[in-house]
Amino acid sequence: MDFLRPATWEEALAAKAEHPTAVPIAGGTDVMVEINFDHRRPDVLLDLNRVVDLYEWEVGEETVRLGAAVPYTRVIEALGRELPGLALAARTVGSPQIRNRGSVGGNLGAASPAGDSHPPLLAAGAEVEAVSVRGTRLIPVEEFYTGVKRNALAPDELIRAVHIAKADGPQQFSKVGTRNAMVIAVCAFGLALHPATRTVRTGIGSAAPTPVRAGTAEEFLTAALEEEGLWDSGRTVPPSVARQFADLVAACASPIDDVRGSAAYRRHALRVMARRTLGWTWDEYLGNERSARCA
Amino acid sequence: MGVTRTPTPTTQGSETTGGIGESTLRPDGVLKTTGEFAYASDLWHEDMLWGHTLRSPHAHAEIVSLDVSRALAQPGVYAVLTYDDLPTDVRHYGLEIQDTPVLAHGRVRHHGEPVALVAADHPETARRAAAKIRVEYRQLPVVVDEATATAPDAPLIHEGRTDHHSGHVPHPNVVHRQPIVRGDADAAARRADVIVTGDYEVGMQDQAFLGPESGLAVPAEDGGVDLYIATQWLHADLRQIAPVLGLPEEKVRMTLSGVGGAFGGREDLSMQIHACLLALRTGKPVKMVYNRFESFFGHVHRHPATLHYEHGATRDGKITHMRCRIVLDGGAYASSSPAVVGNASSLSAGPYVIDDVDIEALALYTNNPPCGAMRGFGAVQACFAYEAQMDKLAAALGMDPVEFRRLNAMSQGAVMPTGQVVDSPAPVAELLRRVKAMPMPPEREWESAGGGVDVRALPGGLSNTTHGEGVVRGVGYAVGIKNVGFSEGFDDYSTARVRLEVIAGEPVATVHTAMAEVGQGGVTVHAQIARTELGVTQVTIDPADTRVGSAGSTSASRQTYVTGGAVRHTCQAVRERVLELGRAKLGTHHPAWATAELLLESGKVVTDDGEVLAGLAEVLGDEAIDIEREWRHRPTEPFDLRTGQGRGHVQYSFAAHRAVVDVDTELGLVKVVELACAQDVGKALNPLSVVGQIQGGTTQGLGLAVMEEILVSDRATVRNPSFTDYLIPTILDTPPIPVDVLELADDHAPYGLRGVGEAPTLSSTPAVVAAIRAATGLALRRVPVRPENLTGT
């Protein structure tokens, strides 16, 4: 196994162009597990730890440009206001040690349906900045996941950053696991209200071959909020609307039975999480601040 | 050239008196906390090779062909061994029944069974070479439960059995069966006003010790081998290893290495013989260390069980009778299944007075992973079932579940289903009273003054699944009974060697035993005993090895009792020798030498009035007293194979729990809010360690209640051999565990002590499940309870 240690982003791109099979590694929280379990034996590892640009972020007018290797700990500490959904999800990642090393870029590179970052990225709206020696392109996050642990990157591309829309309204994230820490999601759900556009976006994790948005549920809820005039009326979401939204979210999933949970439970849990997160975000939108206080 | 990072003696107590009853700190505590402690996986030797095990991917298959030539041809490979390379005719081992092949012979009986060994100059080379071994398997039908094990055409897991249980079992796929009949259950049932029945299941729990199986075998010039190893019982290993190697036991010298937990999972051999074989074949030191994945295949697990129970009671709340049938899945090899059957049957009635019982327990041979010893050892499975039955009975009678238990609780003088009289304190009702009297934790702790929600206090925690919606509190109680020590007539002795000498003017005691320190704190207690008995402050604990006699196993909650007893006994012999020397040297100086009761205190010989006769340095001079002694507890006897009668157990221990849980009833997520325990320990030799044992056992029971299970496919292969998917409680899952320690001396035991380690593991699980039942109203007949069970999905 060759181990490449580029000092700069340009060197990293050149190395990736020269070794398209090279597996990039930053925090190593996923890649090293795969190697230790002998699930894969890459010919070349491309160590990005020296590329300092990847550990930085910029808060812009509309978006946060989050460097691919910014650890979850920094997201929690520094970006809770701009990216509340992602910060909530980041708190549920692994242990403190894992959160000090793991990053959103790593989650995207691995493209596991169980990655905790995916639902809030889908719900907030995000684009992946994919770069190669050929140039840069921005891939909408919902087009980025192409299959179980597969993504839309070309062999010579690396993830430079993720451009995530700054929250324009309340966001929530919920994850079911069978213990209270260090657990892979049985299923997860992210919800973002976008009052600016009077829309709602969602993200489902661990309940389909890829992370997905619950499209029909979003359309239904966006239409229902508009029809009932709820954005302006200050009223709560009628239970029938919440219930149908929850049912549509569950219907958008295509879960399987596995060691972590049954397909039936995953659908059921998504329904509960969709209903609850809608209640929490709408409460917050109405100003009934009863949001979670976290460590 | 030499072995580095191997055990060194630990000297304790240079600044403390630290006798029994004091919470002296463990000598390995700081090292373990700071990461400096040398575990067996840290063993290292110059020029050492790395061993690797090729394991079966199938649960049941015939080995059609086996070709190691490509592995042998790989550069860096020093040896490849299969069954045909074994050096003697002794090719099987086992704790009680020698049914386990050192390497598979023609057939594999469980997923992960060792098939071949490789030694190479790098672990990765060994791994790759093993992958080049060509094994052609022909899969066979699998036996997975009682129905498939005893079907008319069931494949026999072990053909032609000749072991000592084979003559009395109803089917060759039954390892051992123990009925217990006492009184007349049929007649008693007719007196019952209510009868409740239940079917229960316990999933396969893993010990999940953090230090994986590891050891280093170093070939010696005399043709023997030195083995540095993490185990629970050096001499039992030795007895199994030496015949396979074709060596006399004195040429297999074993030294305990740093052990990272055991919980029963190191009672059986793992890589011991394999590493020795490779070392003797190559003439080089060989290290073997399992990774976490392999560890799940490298040791036995807790027996999964199905249990059918029937209890009756009169309207005034007295239990009339109990009938039960307990089926334990022993997996492919016997391990300690027969003894687990003995425990499950003899403890199946729980700590209750029930005169009329009809009990049957058995263990199966199947193609599932082998199961054997784990903390609680057969008593855990039974306790889950009988405690569920107690709640059912109380409900049927409209009685409070704790009051119902107290009404039927055994006390000293009670008769067990085996006919054995409980002849030391059995404060079952008092433990229940105490645990119920503890203050309750506050409700709705997640609500803060400002109207916010602290999700850390809710089910799901930071996963943010509820802000209080669907959350219901439940409270549950349970109590259990566990035996202490090896039972059924086993010669359960221990050995201690104690040396007393004067070094630089100070008396120093050295304690040498073969006790495996697996984290339980035995080395701390041995030093405390030596200080108390010999009146010294400095005690050196020598590394455990086979140069001293057997200490027996670090299991069955027995080491403080038995090896602690041996250390005390030997210290007393040393003290007698000191006094003999004193009388000879100084007897004429003071009449008290001849007349008074003499003690050793603070480095001096004193009378029981406290008068100092001499310093130890003066008495000993240049002489070292060095004595090795064996010590035994009261003998036990086997259970009658037909009636189950017999004084089978050494001592009983009791613990009670109260669990308080918050359940998110919509998502099926559980937060255990508090798990209070009351336990009688006879005498707390080290109160801090006692509380630690109780909290650890309680947490392991919590794990079984809500998350821990090895899942097996319909082809009997393990589905979750990793800590990613075999979940154990983290500190965020572990609630406050207030502990109320009761000390009612057992006059038959050293210092009156009672084994501590296992009892808290029993009642923790049923208490948590009772609390979940209280919150949800669900029957919950199986552990671990999964979210699916709570949501009907």
Side-chain angles (χ1 to χ4, degrees), chain B residues 24-43:
Chain B
T24 60
L25 297 180
R26 350 169 22 126
D28 50 346
V30 170
L31 293 174
K32 284 177 174 172
T33 309
T34 56
E36 292 167 277
F37 184 81
Y39 289 98
S41 49
D42 300 314
L43 288 162

Side-chain angles (χ1 to χ4, degrees), chain B residues 195-333:
Chain B
I195 289 182
V196 298
T197 61
D199 287 286
Y200 304 94
E201 274 184 49
V202 176
M204 188 188 298
Q205 189 180 19
D206 190 69
Q207 295 84 355
F209 44 71
L210 293 187
E213 293 83 349
S214 187
L216 172 69
V218 184
E221 284 181 2
D222 66 353
V225 62
D226 292 282
L227 179 62
Y228 301 85
I229 183 71
T231 182
Q232 283 180 246
W233 187 357
L234 289 166
H235 287 79
D237 285 7
L238 176 62
R239 175 168 52 75
Q240 298 171 83
I241 297 167
V244 176
L245 303 179
L247 291 172
E249 289 189 359
E250 60 271 21
K251 284 199 171 179
V252 181
R253 291 163 294 260
M254 297 180 59
T255 305
L256 189 75
S257 185
V259 186
F263 311 110
R266 296 186 210 267
E267 279 197 21
D268 296 77
L269 295 180
S270 57
M271 42 55 66
Q272 285 91 327
I273 298 176
H274 296 164
C276 292
L277 287 169
L278 290 171
L280 292 170
R281 170 63 74 100
T282 60
K284 284 173 161 290
V286 174
K287 175 174 174 175
M288 293 185 84
V289 54
Y290 295 171
N291 63 18
R292 181 58 55 192
F293 176 87
E294 188 172 18
S295 179
F296 274 96
F297 299 97
H299 61 262
V300 301
H301 316 291
R302 186 191 298 292
H303 288 73
T306 58
L307 310 97
H308 176 80
Y309 266 79
E310 175 191 299
H311 283 86
T314 57
R315 207 166 287 114
D316 60 354
K318 294 297 268 188
I319 298 172
T320 52
H321 73 289
M322 182 277 277
R323 283 190 263 252
C324 73
R325 185 162 189 277
I326 300 173
V327 178
L328 302 152
D329 184 349
Y333 296 105

Side-chain angles (χ1 to χ4, degrees), chain A residues 38 174 179 260 265 268 280, chain B residues 127 464 469 667 725 728:
Chain A
D38 211 23
S174 256
R179 75 180 167 193
R260 291 172 198 147
Y265 175 73
H268 167 80
W280 302 337
Chain B
R127 189 191 64 79
N464 192 39
E469 301 93 331
L667 282 176
D725 286 314
I728 56 177

